[in-house]
Amino acid sequence: MSQPLWLTIEPHPDEVLLSLHEPGRGSILRARLPVCPHQPRALATLLESLVAWYGRPLVAVLDADAQDVRQHGERWARL
């Protein structure tokens, strides 16, 4: 079984930063996204798409100490 990819999700007041990492290669994809997606399943669909694209398991971590997560915990719990 191949090693999983790692995705960090860093919420900020004006944007969400994503960084996808592959063991042994480092960062392979970075993105800046709006804070609120237009569709409720947008984050889940994005994660599923990355798994489908790379054909590998994925571990996603949310910066739970980020200011936006602390201020809008209910929003991040839904995502």
Side-chain angles (χ1 to χ4, degrees):
M1 182 174 178
S2 59
Q3 292 183 317
L5 300 168
W6 285 83
L7 179 72
T8 58
I9 304 167
E10 292 183 55
H12 293 273
D14 299 329
E15 64 188 356
V16 176
L17 302 178
L18 302 179
S19 184
L20 184 65
H21 300 268
E22 183 177 16
R25 286 188 62 198
S27 181
I28 56 176
L29 179 68
R30 291 186 181 186
R32 292 174 181 252
L33 302 174
V35 173
C36 294
H38 289 286
Q39 298 294 322
R41 283 202 25 87
L43 181 58
T45 302
L46 175 62
L47 299 180
E48 291 167 0
S49 297
L50 290 170
V51 169
W53 189 276
Y54 285 94
R56 296 170 68 171
L58 176 87
V59 175
V61 291
L62 173 67
D63 180 0
D65 194 39
Q67 180 180 356
D68 195 63
V69 175
R70 284 186 274 124
Q71 291 178 344
H72 305 286
E74 70 289 343
R75 174 185 358 173
W76 290 101
R78 282 193 310 270
L79 291 175

